[in-house]
Amino acid sequence: MKTKHNFGAGPCILPQEVFEEASKAVLDFNGLSILEISHRSPEFIDVMEEARSLVKKALNVPDGYTVLFLQGGASLGFLISAMNMSGANKKAAYVNTGAWAKKASKEGKNAGLQVDIIASSEDQNFNYIPKGFDISSDYDFLHITTNNTIFGTQFKSFPETSVPLVADMSSDIFSKQIDVSKFDIIYAGAQKNLGPAGATVFIVKEEILGKSTHQNIPTYLNLLTHHEKDSMFNTPPVFSIYVSMLNLRHLLANGGVAAAEQRNEAKAALLYNEIDSNPLFKGTAVKEDRSNMNVTFVMTDDALTDEFNKMWNDAGLVGLKGHRDVGGFRASMYNAMNIDSVEVLVEVMQEIATKKA
Ligand SMILES: *Cc1c(COP(=O)(O)O)cnc(C)c1O
């Protein structure tokens, strides 16, 4: 039985019921283990189809979009999205909101595109989301990272543009309602909010399939390949997809994304409120762009860090150490995190403040 509160940035926590059901399927899934069944078996084809359709249901994906479960993580998604979106002008615009966004733009170059960073928050160590920038209409696409896992910032609204929009949503997909019709490609590694590592979900406007101007696009990296094969071109990551499907069932049975969004807002409000009112702590991201998924903060007196570390460790919290690019602390509060866990963290923060007052 789990005894700790996991604030780690990924892989993510999942609902206890999902862990339990997944563990049963490891031992017995229609007389075999889920780990050994053929991906061509009718049982797994049903799982794949249900997973794809639950993604559509959870995010109200409009007609004309296909949902695919691929491998390679968002890191390969950087390249896949750029190759598949290569258009007439062979040039792409990227918003640089941090380490993952930068890696995405690097793969745009590897896809043979001219890459322009049209906006960046690097001047302030990525503590805000650039806004109000111009996007000339001759770009093949604009790429954004909707939630910046490392720096704790999140797009609260998406850029208005006539240029096709591509988004890495690895760390906030299914955490809030979105208008999928604004995007040509959305992609996300499963392990931040959907399921175990291994699968990468793609939501793709069917119109773009097969239109890439990239020469000799490798078969696996061509999204048309996977669409034509119903996401079964080769052996998919069976277990990751199965558990993602269970998690989506659980999400939809508990009010869907709309209810998850409210729970996430309540958790974020609780913690940000403490950060803003407790004299020992300070948030690192500007208020209007703060992420509801990854909360980054530092202590106002570094000398207290060791003591605070010991206190939260003793309280059963794990994964709170900040990324080295930001320092301090990062509390990742993905969908499955209960507000009770956030309350434990807040109590520890209050306790150290009382001690030092
Ligand atoms: C974790 C993360 C990635 C990298 O994902 P992989 O699946 O490990 O390749 C990319 N983008 C964002 C926003 C992330 O949080």
Side-chain angles (χ1 to χ4, degrees):
M1 202 50 202
K2 297 203 312 164
T3 53
K4 296 195 169 163
H5 305 275
N6 183 6
F7 285 89
C12 65
I13 62 172
L14 294 169
Q16 188 60 28
E17 296 91 323
V18 170
F19 284 133
E20 279 163 19
E21 227 180 314
S23 71
K24 280 187 206 143
V26 169
L27 297 175
D28 177 18
F29 186 77
N30 293 315
L32 292 173
S33 166
I34 186 74
L35 302 182
E36 66 178 324
I37 64 163
S38 165
H39 59 291
R40 304 284 175 206
S41 64
E43 290 89 346
F44 185 71
I45 290 171
D46 285 352
V47 168
M48 177 63 100
E49 283 315 305
E50 184 172 349
R52 295 173 81 197
S53 87
L54 292 181
V55 168
K56 288 191 173 174
K57 201 162 165 194
L59 291 176
N60 278 320
V61 176
D63 288 347
Y65 282 78
T66 188
V67 173
L68 307 169
F69 283 93
L70 308 187
Q71 299 190 64
S75 295
L76 189 57
F78 301 153
L79 182 65
I80 291 177
S81 56
M83 278 188 170
N84 284 269
M85 291 302 292
S86 293
N89 298 318
K90 297 251 179 202
K91 69 187 239 198
Y94 283 75
V95 180
N96 182 13
T97 48
W100 294 120
K102 208 180 261 183
K103 287 183 180 173
S105 67
K106 183 177 166 210
E107 297 311 308
K109 285 189 196 137
N110 282 334
L113 301 172
Q114 175 192 321
V115 165
D116 292 342
I117 305 296
I118 59 156
S120 170
S121 48
E122 192 158 17
D123 57 338
Q124 300 289 333
N125 197 31
F126 303 112
N127 74 352
Y128 69 100
I129 298 286
K131 291 170 213 84
F133 43 85
D134 290 326
I135 311 156
S136 88
S137 59
D138 62 343
Y139 286 109
D140 293 337
F141 63 92
L142 169 68
H143 183 283
I144 60 169
T145 312
T146 54
N147 184 71
N148 297 281
T149 324
I150 293 173
F151 297 92
T153 62
Q154 184 174 29
F155 279 84
K156 303 291 165 175
S157 62
F158 302 123
E160 287 300 332
T161 170
S162 58
V163 168
L165 201 51
V166 173
D168 171 7
M169 291 197 186
S170 290
S171 54
D172 68 352
I173 195 165
F174 303 114
S175 74
K176 61 172 192 175
Q177 294 172 285
I178 51 163
D179 179 358
V180 172
S181 72
K182 281 188 159 43
F183 298 88
D184 278 29
I185 297 181
I186 292 168
Y187 62 96
Q191 73 277 10
K192 301 277 168 56
N193 221 0
L194 176 59
T200 319
V201 66
F202 278 77
I203 304 171
V204 185
K205 195 184 254 178
E206 287 173 21
E207 242 170 53
I208 69 113
L209 295 168
K211 303 261 173 70
S212 170
T213 59
H214 190 276
Q215 292 195 330
N216 304 323
I217 182 164
T219 309
Y220 187 91
L221 304 187
N222 191 342
L223 291 169
L224 181 62
T225 303
H226 300 280
H227 175 64
E228 285 180 343
K229 298 286 183 188
D230 292 324
S231 202
M232 286 278 211
F233 165 67
N234 67 333
T235 317
V238 168
F239 189 65
S240 175
I241 293 165
Y242 176 68
V243 180
S244 297
M245 185 275 283
L246 293 178
N247 190 38
L248 288 164
R249 271 190 195 163
H250 186 274
L251 176 70
L252 285 158
N254 288 277
V257 171
E261 179 169 5
Q262 284 187 359
R263 292 190 293 268
N264 291 331
E265 275 171 6
K267 287 182 282 181
L270 177 64
L271 183 51
Y272 282 123
N273 211 19
E274 184 59 28
I275 289 169
D276 292 343
S277 59
N278 188 321
L280 298 190
F281 297 94
K282 199 173 71 196
T284 63
V286 306
K287 280 190 185 179
E288 64 179 11
D289 301 325
R290 296 198 291 204
S291 167
N292 283 353
M293 292 285 100
N294 311 95
V295 177
T296 50
F297 57 102
V298 293
M299 292 195 91
T300 46
D301 179 359
D302 277 342
L304 297 176
T305 302
D306 288 347
E307 189 174 349
F308 181 58
N309 283 341
K310 184 174 182 327
M311 285 171 71
W312 58 258
N313 269 296
D314 289 348
L317 310 184
V318 298
L320 268 180
K321 194 172 152 35
H323 188 278
R324 62 186 177 280
D325 289 350
V326 185
F329 308 91
R330 170 174 54 173
S332 298
M333 309 189 299
Y334 296 115
N335 276 359
M337 173 164 281
N338 208 296
I339 197 160
D340 300 353
S341 296
V342 186
E343 276 162 6
V344 176
L345 169 58
V346 165
E347 277 160 25
V348 174
M349 293 166 77
Q350 288 171 347
E351 205 179 305
I352 191 165
T354 310
K355 256 201 210 170
K356 300 297 158 191

